[in-house]
Structure formats: C-alpha cells, structure tokens
Amino acid sequence: MDLNLKDRTALVTGASAGIGAGIARALAAEGVRIAITARRGEPLERLAAEIEAGGGQRPLVLTGDVTDASTVSSIVSDAAGTLGGIDILVNSAGGSRPVPLDASEEVWDEAFALNFHAIRRFAAAVLPSMQERRWGRIVNISGSMEPRALNAAMAAKAALHLWAKGLACDVAADGITVNTIAPGRINSEQILTKMYPTEEARQRFIAANIPIGYFGDPEDIAHLVAFLVSPLARYITGAVIPVDGAMRFSAH
C-alpha cells in the first residue's frame, strides 16, 4: 500500500535505539525526509548511516537533552530549517521510572520533564507551522495505563494521554491529527537489559501476561506510526491505541 508519504518531513525523538529507531527506519522507507534526535550521538549516526546504506536519504542527526526547554526549541528550529518545515512529529523519547513511596521531588520532576513536558514542548514548537499549512501529524509513544506498582513515568504518561486528547480536539479543524500509541513489551534496550535481562524472566512474564505469546518488535509499533502519519489516516485523531499482544489486564 502506498501511504503517500514521499517527501514529507518528520522529526523523531528518542531515535537512538528501540522503538524510536524502528520508527525512523519505517518512515525513511516510505520516502519521508527525517531528523532524528536523542541524547546519544553515536547510535544516531549509526542509524543515519544504516538508512542511507539502505537507499534512503540520510537523516539529519541532532543530539540534545529533550528535558531542557531551550534544547527542544533548538532541535525544532534546526530540523525545520534543514528539512524545510516539519510535517510529522513523533515523540518517542521517554523511559520508565519506578519509584518508592518516599521518592524525592527531583525524581518526580525528572520523570514528568522527560515523559510529558518534553512532548508538550515539541508539539507547541511545531504546531504553528502545521496550522499555517493546514496539515500535520503528531504521534506520541506512551505506555501501559494499568500499573502494578508506583511508577512516576506512568503518572506522566497518564497526563500525556489526556493532554493529547484535548489537543486533538483543538487542532482537528486545522488538518492536524494527534494520536498516542501505548506499547506493551517491545524488544528494546530498556526491556531486554533492565526489565527482563534473562530469557527466563522474559518467558515467565510472557506466560503470565501476554496472550499472543511473545514480546513485540519495534517494527510492530513503527508500521502503525507510518499509517497514522499518512493522509490515509486523516479521520483518526484523539486515539490511544494499545499495541501489546493483548497484555492489557482489563482483557482478562
């Protein structure tokens, strides 16, 4: 299926590994000209070289800490200046933050800075030009909304869900859609090295929680993103879409 994305432009955050890198590959394969950003420069350069070697246009690499408001502004300015505007924003930067009951204010502030405020700031920075052109796509990568322990990132992502739904209503008439994807367990650096570092741990979790029987891959998220940012998905907005192999506890 031709998604009609050739020569569109996109900014993908959190693109150094995992889901973000998978999204960058999928968009580049559709002919999208992209800018990729994350804290770590070396993985971004490797991804850019991989995409170029595969026949895609080499992505623009922009490094920076997205929890810093001035850095967000610089990234958007540099991306828009080089690409000639930003049609598509994919907010993939984020990270789990399990916390104890007595977690400090600094821990909570960092979790919200990364998992909510950075996303809000990126959207605010790209929206004026999208509104002027009367076309734009924003996709946020979120997480499970059914925690089984206290996690500051999940609280931030709950805020993200409702913010995105409200924003979707405000900009719908401008030809802009805003959607959120809630991944389950996806094979990524964070999942495989921190949460489930052994195959035994993975299989134990899968048996107890994932009816489909396996962890997903970044491409399982990336293909949905490619569709949501295409003109074909013009009537989908304000949605929170789980991609989790039926891991949702409410399904049981």
Side-chain angles (χ1 to χ4, degrees), residues 206-223:
I206 288 168
N209 299 284
I210 306 180
I212 206 168
Y214 54 88
F215 286 177
D217 288 324
E219 291 74 20
D220 294 313
I221 306 297
H223 295 317

Side-chain angles (χ1 to χ4, degrees), residues 2 21 218:
D2 183 0

Side-chain angles (χ1 to χ4, degrees), residues 19 27 58 60 85 134 174 213 237 251:
I19 292 172
L27 294 182
R58 187 181 181 91
L60 172 67
R134 301 193 64 77
D174 297 321
T237 193

